[in-house]
Amino acid sequence: MTARAADRARYDRATAHLDAPLAIVDLDAFDANADDLVRRAAGKPIRVASKSVRCRALLERVLAKNGFAGIMSFTLAESLWLARGGFEDILLAYPSADRAGYAELAADPKLAAAVTVMVDDPAQLAFIDASRAGGTEVIRVCLELDTSLKLLGGKVRVGARRSPLHSPAQVADMARAVARRPGFQVVGIMAYEGHIAGVGDSVAGRPLRSRAVRLMQATARKELAERRAAVVRAVRAVVPDLEFVNGGGTGSVQHTAAEDAVTEIGAGSGLYVPRLFDNYTSFSGRPAALFAMPVVRRPGVGVVTVLGGGYPASGAPGPDRLPVPYLPEGLKYDPQEGPGEVQTPLLGAPADDLLLGDKVWFRHAKAGELCERFEKLHLIEGDAVTATVPTYRGEGHTFL
């Protein structure tokens, strides 16, 4: 029996009393992945990206482990909800236009102490001030550095279009703009290198592309390490008591941790290890989050149909954004249909061994987005469900 077949047997036994659709997290794999992130971070604390987890019970579990500290959130409403629930040290990783949220933040000393917001433009400071509604608490802010690699004098850009702050001088100017404005305090710098941390460098069947990605990433790592160090020096000249410099992502943990200028690593997807992280040479994790759909039809030889399953992930549309049938091994989509909103036909010899009601296990493309489809996660240890916990959605929250 292969390791994957053994996992399928465990999952089927653990959930035999449950009807699909359902979602699980294999805690043995989850904990092993957490340990591997800590090993790769080499002593620097990991701030957990909540968008990649979207389950408070699992955020609590990983934050209880040595090597993890703080949350990197994705909306202001989520940040305030987590802070009200007792989480501390929450870094909002994206700028917000939530007026009501800023008013609540500025009016509550506990929330203002727990939540740090992201800025990269003086206009954002004016927006926050206009939203205070009389609140006078000092707002903790983090400055975001654009990590993109610019080549040929800026004619070629590699990396996500995020912050407009690219050079040390630009980030330092932003720090001075914050310092001049009462009611704000710069406490950190964030630089997420998505083109390094979030792009696989070993794509099956595409050796030339994989080699090009590795070359690009090596070039980008060197350029960014030098520029990030210069940015930190420039900002510390304005803000000597800077609390943190955040960088990284699941795919680049060990490289970013090696930079002296970086004080903490941001990561989250490496806990669940969705399918997009199968194509990396920098690390290898264990799939921990899966969902199961039931067989509802047997249209013919070598074909079964499962309920639903069409859960595409965000990003540029393409086959890599789709979930993949994972267990039993050997099933594939009908190329004329793919995964559907209400039903999904699956082809392959294993289909003939599946009965109505049997579970087919899938892996989602991006980590936490799976939790937008399910209200609860069944936590598996060995071959038993040991707990069932709500996702954000199960607690009544869909922040995006």
Side-chain angles (χ1 to χ4, degrees):
M1 181 182 290
T2 67
R4 279 175 60 175
D7 282 341
R8 181 196 175 199
R10 286 197 302 115
Y11 301 152
D12 283 348
R13 284 195 300 270
T15 62
H17 62 296
L18 300 171
D19 288 333
L22 58 84
I24 66 166
V25 170
D26 182 337
L27 290 181
D28 296 332
F30 181 90
D31 290 342
N33 293 334
D35 292 343
D36 188 60
L37 286 170
V38 171
R39 176 190 63 79
R40 292 165 57 207
K44 292 189 176 177
I46 298 171
R47 186 181 291 274
V48 184
S50 62
K51 78 177 182 67
S52 300
V53 179
R54 302 193 201 201
C55 171
R56 287 205 294 177
L58 290 175
L59 288 173
E60 290 170 351
R61 183 183 184 92
V62 72
L63 285 171
K65 294 178 177 291
N66 291 332
F68 291 86
I71 289 176
M72 179 181 287
S73 59
F74 59 97
T75 74
L76 182 54
E78 178 214 13
S79 306
L80 299 175
W81 177 65
L82 291 173
R84 288 194 298 269
F87 289 92
E88 300 175 349
D89 190 10
I90 301 164
L91 170 62
L92 174 56
Y94 307 87
S96 177
D98 181 353
R99 293 183 176 88
Y102 282 131
E104 184 176 357
L105 182 66
D108 190 316
K110 177 184 174 183
L111 297 180
V115 176
T116 300
V117 303
M118 192 65 58
V119 298
D120 56 35
D121 187 326
Q124 293 160 350
L125 303 177
F127 184 94
I128 295 171
D129 266 342
S131 304
R132 284 178 179 269
T136 58
E137 294 298 321
V138 172
I139 304 299
R140 293 164 54 88
V141 302
C142 178
L143 311 179
E144 181 168 2
L145 167 67
D146 170 36
T147 64
S148 63
L149 175 65
K150 295 184 178 181
L151 304 170
L152 302 178
K155 295 179 180 178
V156 175
R157 173 194 179 99
V158 181
R161 294 183 180 276
R162 292 177 61 116
S163 170
L165 308 177
H166 188 81
S167 69
Q170 288 174 317
V171 186
D173 284 346
M174 185 66 207
R176 281 187 281 270
V178 176
R180 287 194 297 266
R181 197 171 191 114
F184 295 90
Q185 178 187 7
V186 175
V187 297
I189 300 170
M190 188 191 83
Y192 171 59
E193 53 266 36
H195 52 302
I196 302 171
V199 178
D201 64 349
S202 181
V203 182
R206 306 191 67 179
L208 294 180
R209 171 180 167 79
S210 298
R211 184 176 178 183
V213 169
R214 287 194 291 273
L215 178 62
M216 176 276 290
Q217 291 179 337
T219 302
R221 280 196 301 268
K222 183 176 185 299
E223 185 275 337
L224 179 59
E226 295 173 354
R227 180 158 53 90
R228 181 153 41 199
V231 165
V232 172
R233 288 193 297 271
V235 172
R236 286 194 185 279
V238 182
V239 187
D241 54 349
L242 198 67
E243 294 178 15
F244 65 86
V245 177
N246 181 282
T250 288
S252 68
V253 170
Q254 64 269 41
H255 300 296
T256 308
E259 295 182 31
D260 291 338
V262 174
T263 66
E264 63 175 40
I265 308 298
S269 295
L271 296 168
Y272 287 168
V273 185
R275 63 163 296 201
L276 280 178
F277 285 90
D278 289 347
N279 303 318
Y280 284 75
T281 59
S282 61
F283 83 105
S284 177
R286 292 172 55 186
L290 299 93
F291 68 94
M293 308 305 287
V295 173
V296 293
R297 283 178 170 163
R298 292 171 51 85
V301 175
V303 186
V304 292
T305 301
V306 299
L307 186 71
Y311 301 158
S314 60
D320 65 335
R321 301 290 135 171
L322 300 179
V324 290
Y326 183 62
L327 301 170
E329 298 179 67
L331 293 174
K332 62 182 180 180
Y333 293 128
D334 182 331
Q336 296 185 58
E337 295 194 48
E341 176 188 10
V342 179
Q343 68 169 32
T344 297
L346 297 170
L347 313 180
D352 294 330
D353 296 324
L354 292 169
L355 303 177
L356 294 181
D358 282 354
K359 297 179 178 76
V360 175
W361 297 90
F362 292 77
R363 292 176 65 201
H364 198 254
K366 294 187 74 175
E369 293 184 21
L370 171 65
C371 294
E372 297 301 326
R373 301 287 184 167
F374 293 89
E375 294 182 348
K376 54 193 173 186
L377 298 172
H378 301 285
L379 308 184
I380 292 180
E381 296 181 79
D383 59 358
V385 172
T386 56
T388 297
V389 296
T391 61
Y392 280 11
R393 175 178 173 174
E395 295 198 67
H397 294 286
T398 51
F399 293 108
L400 277 180

